Amino acid sequence: MTVRLRVQAILVVASLVTGVTGTAGMLTFRKGQDFDLVASANPGVTGSTDTDRTAMFERARGKRVQADAVASSSATCDGCAGTAAAVQVIYVNKAKKGTADNLANAWSSCSNCRSTSVSVQVVVVRPGATLAVQNRAFAVNAACSGCTASAVAIQFVVVTSKHQMFSSKGRQQLEALANELQGQLSTRSKANRLATTKDKSELTGIDALVRKELKPLSVKPQFAVKTG
């Protein structure tokens, strides 16, 4: 087995053992134009938990870019909990056109269970680029008692004239803020989660970090928060 394959095998085993996947603050380079990231948590046994936290930091080198980020969680067993958090950052080099879609989805159908999803997407482009974007959150409780569902989708389209990127520390902070928000939504009462929906004060830390790290010419933030 080559060194590269051996390292990949170790990473796969580690993700299976911990139940948490992702690149943990690493920046990679790819010539492709399609960038997909999915965090999915779906516990299947009564009283169990399932957590998926994953991140992507990539520089796109294609002439066109399509970025899709999804955090999806479900709870369909009594007393179980599913939590998913996705962080996607794409730096666009040459592309003048592209699409970006960010989705957080949470579903609960059981007794005394909860599902929570947080998806954060940051797309960094040069002046003159045209990007079609969508940012959506869905949270549904169906045929259940004592259950909760929370979904938060946060998207930034950042325009910068320089090769500005998140620092290594900034990447770690962005992941930490997303995971912290996901944790807070998982443990809060429905009243407190509704308060978060109204003022979005819990989300300003991510906005401030994006502006501090990337020093944008302009930034377009979008927030979607749903609770059930």
Side-chain angles (χ1 to χ4, degrees), residues 41-149:
N42 305 283
V45 179
T46 299
S48 66
T49 61
D50 187 22
T51 299
D52 188 8
R53 294 173 175 171
T54 186
M56 167 190 287
F57 297 83
E58 297 213 45
R59 184 183 289 279
R61 292 182 172 178
K63 294 182 179 180
R64 187 176 180 86
V65 64
Q66 179 174 332
D68 297 285
V70 177
S72 179
S73 65
S74 68
T76 58
C77 45
D78 293 345
C80 62
T83 57
V87 175
Q88 183 186 59
V89 178
I90 305 295
Y91 304 99
V92 179
N93 274 357
K94 299 179 180 179
K96 290 297 182 180
K97 293 183 179 181
T99 61
D101 191 288
N102 188 43
L103 171 65
N105 183 62
W107 168 275
S108 293
S109 181
C110 42
S111 296
N112 299 315
C113 60
R114 69 178 186 272
S115 61
T116 309
S117 295
V118 174
S119 186
V120 179
Q121 183 185 58
V122 182
V123 184
V124 185
V125 299
R126 302 290 181 83
T130 301
L131 201 65
V133 300
Q134 287 192 93
N135 185 66
R136 299 162 293 157
F138 301 97
V140 178
N141 292 331
C144 61
S145 61
C147 60
T148 62

Side-chain angles (χ1 to χ4, degrees), residues 184-205:
Q184 290 174 343
L185 290 171
S186 295
T187 58
R188 286 183 172 183
S189 66
K190 184 171 183 178
N192 286 335
R193 287 183 292 114
L194 288 173
T196 299
T197 304
K198 292 179 180 179
D199 61 27
K200 300 184 177 64
S201 61
E202 297 290 347
L203 312 180
T204 57

